[in-house]
Amino acid sequence: MSPAPTAAEGGARLLRGERNWWFLGPGGGLARLRPGQLTEDGTLRPGTERRLREHGLLTAPAPRSYALTVLTSTHCNLGCGYCFQNTGQDRDGGSRPPRIARARLTSRTVTDILDFADRRMAAAGLERLRILLFGGEPLLNPRGCLELLERAADHGLASAWMISNATLLTPALAGLLAERGLSSVQVTFDGDRPDHDRIRIRRTEGGGTFDTIVGNLARASEASPLRWLLRVNVSQETYRGVDALIDRLAGALDPARCTLYVAQVGDVGVGYGNDLRHTRELSERFTGWQRRALELGFTVARPQAHRPCATCGHGDGRYGAVVSADGTLASCWETAGKPDWEVGTVTGGYLPAALTRDRWVGCEDLYRREEDRRTLAAFHDTVDAALLDYLDETGRL
């Protein structure tokens, strides 16, 4: 699989479809291009680039919101072996891998975090705040989640979402979170029920979680307007069950309230490796899963240009921050709560760049070898082009 040419300016992308090329602009715009609008080596002709610029498709918009990620609890009630917050594998082969140190968000730290956000928003000229409730498992500290959202309303809160395993989500709690501004929750599934229950197991007593999670989402849907972002983890241990999983989720939940996306598990957990290769066969499976999800009524996120992450994509934390439960700052979710990776505190601000340069990890650093990055980029280009072709064929663009 060879990488498709990519328009570098502003993170724009060029994807080669079955019958035409697709241009994805940094502002979210999409254009269908004829082969004659590109050179033989697959780059934009000057006239094509000029027309795209005239239509504003080459312009990257300035961020409109400050993106604040807050770990309300660094502890987790599940023992997933691939978690990037593990500091090792369970030596007994069980469900209790050692993790980052425990911390819980307190009222005092909420005050410090919101004061910090006010200062950073003023410096960036932003008035809107977007919050991600993160963990560990954020719902191990429901009071902290609710207090942060409630108090953030006076600091420009425009939207909020959560990443949770949903094992602790009750209808009453879902309603309270929604009342305070939470709009969506991302929940992960590791393949169909048998694989999921083997991988995402309870940390203390062991045992599967699939039925609990699906049941909680169904009941929370009746008690709140929350939407669900269903992440399906793909690895050598789960990919064979993804087809059955998508059908099962469609039967248990309302697909109209769900966005479903599949993502390969990265080699980020200590002692964990995903041996699934980025082959053409795998790209065809991804394409098939996306099409099936659309047929069943799920939303599937449309491919986008490459844009810097608001939290880790700028070395100075200009447009967002990741804050652990004790008020320490990290560059990215991956390093939050890990000793020697702090880049500052909410009370003292960011450390000097000379100290944080080697601690600044971003989303694109997940695959640190250039060869792996190129392979991954080519894989995503192939999958995204196929999705755009299908959306075009079915009138969904």
Side-chain angles (χ1 to χ4, degrees), residues 102-117:
R102 292 193 188 190
R104 285 171 61 88
L105 184 67
T106 65
S107 294
R108 174 61 184 271
T109 309
V110 169
T111 298
D112 293 338
I113 290 173
L114 293 176
D115 287 345
F116 168 83

Side-chain angles (χ1 to χ4, degrees), residues 131 185 216 241:
I131 288 180
V185 180
N216 286 352

Side-chain angles (χ1 to χ4, degrees), residues 288-344:
W289 295 329
Q290 291 174 330
R291 293 187 177 192
R292 181 57 177 163
L294 287 166
E295 291 169 356
L296 292 171
F298 290 103
T299 297
V300 173
R302 198 172 76 176
Q304 296 184 350
H306 298 300
R307 288 179 287 184
C309 173
T311 51
C312 63
H314 303 273
D316 55 1
R318 188 180 319 162
Y319 300 117
V322 177
V323 187
S324 194
D326 61 359
T328 57
L329 296 168
S331 67
C332 183
W333 304 351
E334 184 182 339
T335 56
K338 294 183 178 180
D340 302 324
W341 286 95
E342 300 92 343
V343 296

Side-chain angles (χ1 to χ4, degrees), residues 157-353:
L157 181 64
S159 62
W161 63 300
M162 173 189 290
I163 296 179
S164 168
N165 59 43
T167 58
L168 303 174
L169 184 64
T170 65
L173 182 53
L176 291 173
L177 290 165
E179 288 174 4
R180 286 159 177 78
L182 193 76
S183 60
S184 61
V185 180
Q186 176 178 306
V187 181
T188 297
F189 290 93
D190 276 284
D192 199 21
R193 183 192 285 125
D195 292 327
H196 178 103
D197 281 347
R198 177 173 44 83
I199 296 170
R200 296 183 73 80
I201 52 180
R202 301 180 191 277
R203 187 175 180 84
T204 53
E205 69 272 20
T209 58
F210 187 92
D211 289 338
T212 296
I213 293 169
V214 173
N216 286 352
L217 296 186
R219 288 185 289 272
S221 295
E222 297 175 355
S224 75
L226 291 174
R227 292 188 57 85
W228 314 107
L229 177 58
L230 308 179
R231 174 188 167 112
V232 178
N233 275 349
V234 179
S235 72
Q236 73 274 12
E237 300 181 49
T238 66
Y239 76 98
R240 294 180 181 85
V242 173
D243 295 278
L245 170 68
I246 294 173
D247 286 349
R248 192 186 303 276
L249 292 176
L253 305 173
D254 178 4
R257 290 176 61 175
C258 302
T259 297
L260 187 144
Y261 79 103
V262 288
Q264 188 163 348
V265 179
D267 296 339
V268 291
V270 179
Y272 174 85
N274 185 354
D275 297 329
L276 204 58
R277 303 272 69 88
H278 296 103
T279 62
R280 178 165 296 279
E281 178 187 358
L282 183 62
S283 70
E284 291 172 353
R285 282 181 175 267
F286 268 69
T287 299
W289 295 329
Q290 291 174 330
R291 293 187 177 192
R292 181 57 177 163
L294 287 166
E295 291 169 356
L296 292 171
F298 290 103
T299 297
V300 173
R302 198 172 76 176
Q304 296 184 350
H306 298 300
R307 288 179 287 184
C309 173
T311 51
C312 63
H314 303 273
D316 55 1
R318 188 180 319 162
Y319 300 117
V322 177
V323 187
S324 194
D326 61 359
T328 57
L329 296 168
S331 67
C332 183
W333 304 351
E334 184 182 339
T335 56
K338 294 183 178 180
D340 302 324
W341 286 95
E342 300 92 343
V343 296
T345 66
V346 290
T347 52
Y350 285 100
L351 296 170

Side-chain angles (χ1 to χ4, degrees), residues 51-202:
R51 284 190 288 275
L52 291 171
R53 190 180 304 279
E54 290 172 351
H55 285 85
L57 295 181
L58 287 177
T59 304
R64 292 179 292 180
S65 301
Y66 185 77
L68 180 65
T69 297
V70 180
L71 283 69
T72 62
S73 170
T74 61
H75 185 49
C76 188
N77 58 331
L78 301 189
C80 308
Y82 60 77
C83 181
F84 56 76
Q85 292 179 340
N86 293 343
T87 58
Q89 292 286 300
D90 188 328
R91 292 183 178 180
D92 298 324
S95 59
R96 298 184 183 180
R99 289 180 45 82
I100 57 175
R102 292 193 188 190
R104 285 171 61 88
L105 184 67
T106 65
S107 294
R108 174 61 184 271
T109 309
V110 169
T111 298
D112 293 338
I113 290 173
L114 293 176
D115 287 345
F116 168 83
D118 285 343
R119 296 192 299 271
R120 301 299 296 182
M121 291 167 66
L126 299 173
E127 298 180 352
R128 295 159 54 91
L129 177 64
R130 176 170 172 79
I131 288 180
L132 165 61
L133 300 175
F134 193 60
E137 169 49 47
L139 291 183
L140 283 170
N141 185 8
R143 181 177 299 177
C145 295
L146 293 168
E147 180 179 350
L148 176 62
L149 293 177
E150 184 172 7
R151 293 177 58 186
D154 295 328
H155 295 260
L157 181 64
S159 62
W161 63 300
M162 173 189 290
I163 296 179
S164 168
N165 59 43
T167 58
L168 303 174
L169 184 64
T170 65
L173 182 53
L176 291 173
L177 290 165
E179 288 174 4
R180 286 159 177 78
L182 193 76
S183 60
S184 61
V185 180
Q186 176 178 306
V187 181
T188 297
F189 290 93
D190 276 284
D192 199 21
R193 183 192 285 125
D195 292 327
H196 178 103
D197 281 347
R198 177 173 44 83
I199 296 170
R200 296 183 73 80
I201 52 180
R202 301 180 191 277

